[in-house]
Structures are given as C-alpha cells and as structure tokens.
Amino acid sequence: MKNLKPSIAYSITAFISIFFLWHLEIKYGFFPTDESRTLGLTQRLFFKQVPHVDFSYQSFMGSMYLHFYALLIPKYKVAILRIISALMVHYYTFNILKLTNLFNNKNTSTKIFFWIAATYLNIHWYDFFIWPTIDALFVFTLGLAVLKKSNNIGLLILGFTPLLKTPFVLSVAGYIVYKNINKFKFNLFLKDAIISSLPSVIYLLITFLMGGFDNLYEETLLSPINWDYWNIWFHRL
C-alpha cells in the first residue's frame, strides 16, 4: 500500500479487516441484550408506537432511530447491523488516534498497523453488535471530525450523542468547555452550548407534545439508582 493514496489504503484495509472479522467471529451467535433491545424497539417504531407514551424506556431513543434502516432489510438485518457496528469501531478508533501527533507523524503503513491493532482491542471490548455506546462514540468522533470544516454542523452532530447514550451529555459539555477555555468569550461559549444542545431540546419538546414527558422523567430520574450501573456508564465516557 506504499504507493496508494492514504484514503484508498485505509478503505482497502477496512474492507479486508471486516472480511476477516466476519468469517472469524461477526457472523456467529446472537446477543439477547443490546442487539435484541435495539431490534425490538426499532420494530415498535415501525408499528408507529410513540416512545415514552406507548412503551417505557429509561433514556433517549437515538439508537433506535439511527438504525431504523434495518427494518428495510429484514432478511439480512442482523448481519448488516453487525458489519456497520464493526465499521463504526474502525472509524471512531481512527479518529481518536488522529487527535495525537504521535499518530499523525507516522507514515501510512505504520498508521494502519496501529489503527488496526487499536481497533481489534476496541472491538473485543465492545462486542460485535449494535449498541448505544458504539453509536455514541461514532457520532461523537464524527462531530469532532466535521468541526474542522464546519463549526456549527460539527457541534450539531456532537449534540446528537446524548440521544444515543445519555451520560455522553457530560462528554459534550466537557468538550464545549475545553473548546472555549483558552480564549474564553461568553457569547461564543453560549453559541456553542446552544447549538450542541438543540437535538436534545427538540427531542424533549417532541416528547412533551406527544404526552410522554412525565413518563420519560419518571423512567430516567425517578428509577431506583444502581450505582454499579452508573459506574459502568461513567467509566465508558
């Protein structure tokens, strides 16, 4: 891959990696946890049931909307969801590595080696199926990448992250503070905060108008606190 453009080399590597992972592990088994939940809740959306009105759910429903396309391909939906999940891990791992000069200063072959090694470590921490944590990491790093070209669009994409995994509201808030802390200007800070909060505000507004806000409040904030569960959530931030 020495003479290939980096983007082509990365694309070929991702294709080979997914092909290898598919035959090694991705195509086997079924996970009756997040994978089952995502498919089941997406099915409810397909039958026009309203989240927090027709059924309960303890947080926002972003992942179910994000993967609604799976219902259009019923025969292969589990396979395609898993391939997309693995691609997401490849993508967000690469974007995280790009945040460091230690990675950026290497040649393409060395970058590919570290990228694939880190991806496989991440994949074996987050299993081969769709679940909100992978969705949130993918969307968060996508937002960071887009920020380099368009501040407002990047912030808007970042704002969708809490809809996928609720504790990531802290990640978005932390990034907004980090982004503005060096040359702090209140008007720019406020603008960034408002743009990044729009998806959540719109979700809450629609939930309120549909009559589900009280249920969402009860499901999210009034449920019994499981500190071990919260510890896992915050650890993954």
Side-chain angles (χ1 to χ4, degrees):
M1 297 185 180
K2 190 174 181 180
N3 298 320
L4 292 176
K5 291 183 178 179
S7 59
I8 297 176
Y10 297 142
S11 298
I12 293 174
T13 300
F15 176 81
I16 294 172
S17 176
I18 294 297
F19 181 83
F20 168 75
L21 290 171
W22 170 260
H23 288 283
L24 179 70
E25 187 170 350
I26 292 178
K27 65 181 180 180
Y28 297 110
F30 183 75
F31 298 89
T33 52
D34 291 63
E35 184 172 52
S36 174
R37 182 184 63 188
T38 299
L39 291 171
L41 292 176
T42 303
Q43 189 79 12
R44 287 180 176 271
L45 297 179
F46 181 75
F47 288 116
K48 299 181 181 179
Q49 294 186 12
V50 180
H52 317 296
V53 176
D54 295 319
F55 60 94
S56 298
Y57 190 65
Q58 77 274 19
S59 59
F60 296 146
M61 288 278 295
S63 286
M64 293 74 205
Y65 287 106
L66 180 64
H67 299 297
F68 189 79
Y69 61 86
L71 297 177
L72 305 176
I73 42 173
K75 186 176 180 180
Y76 302 103
K77 61 185 175 184
V78 173
I80 291 176
L81 283 170
R82 290 187 181 182
I83 290 171
I84 288 174
S85 175
L87 284 171
M88 283 180 169
V89 180
H90 281 74
Y91 179 83
Y92 77 65
T93 302
F94 185 76
N95 274 351
I96 291 172
L97 289 172
K98 282 180 67 178
L99 296 174
T100 69
N101 289 328
L102 184 64
F103 179 78
N104 293 327
N105 292 334
K106 299 293 188 292
N107 59 45
T108 301
S109 297
T110 305
K111 286 180 179 178
I112 287 174
F113 171 79
F114 284 114
W115 169 41
I116 295 300
T119 296
Y120 285 10
L121 288 173
N122 282 332
I123 282 179
H124 285 84
W125 175 250
Y126 298 121
D127 295 316
F128 293 100
F129 59 84
I130 286 293
W131 58 325
T133 304
I134 289 179
D135 295 340
L137 287 167
F138 170 76
V139 171
F140 189 85
T141 57
L142 175 63
L144 293 180
V146 174
L147 267 169
K148 297 176 182 178
K149 296 182 179 180
S150 173
N151 183 69
N152 291 344
I153 295 177
L155 288 170
L156 193 61
I157 293 173
L158 281 178
F160 281 96
T161 309
L163 299 184
L164 304 165
K165 189 78 171 179
T166 308
F168 273 75
V169 67
L170 299 177
S171 300
V172 176
Y175 178 76
I176 298 302
V177 172
Y178 170 78
K179 181 175 180 288
N180 289 275
I181 196 68
N182 286 333
K183 298 179 180 179
F184 187 81
K185 293 183 179 180
F186 182 75
N187 59 325
L188 294 179
F189 173 78
L190 184 62
K191 177 186 174 184
D192 288 353
I194 290 174
I195 293 174
S196 62
S197 66
L198 280 176
S200 293
V201 170
I202 292 171
Y203 184 97
L204 291 172
L205 179 60
I206 293 174
T207 301
F208 176 79
L209 293 175
M210 297 298 290
F213 184 81
D214 289 344
N215 288 337
L216 174 61
Y217 174 76
E218 183 176 349
E219 293 156 7
T220 305
L221 298 178
L222 299 184
S223 299
I225 297 176
N226 183 333
W227 291 112
D228 289 336
Y229 184 64
W230 277 84
N231 180 53
I232 292 171
W233 266 15
F234 286 116
H235 175 69
R236 286 170 179 166
L237 294 178

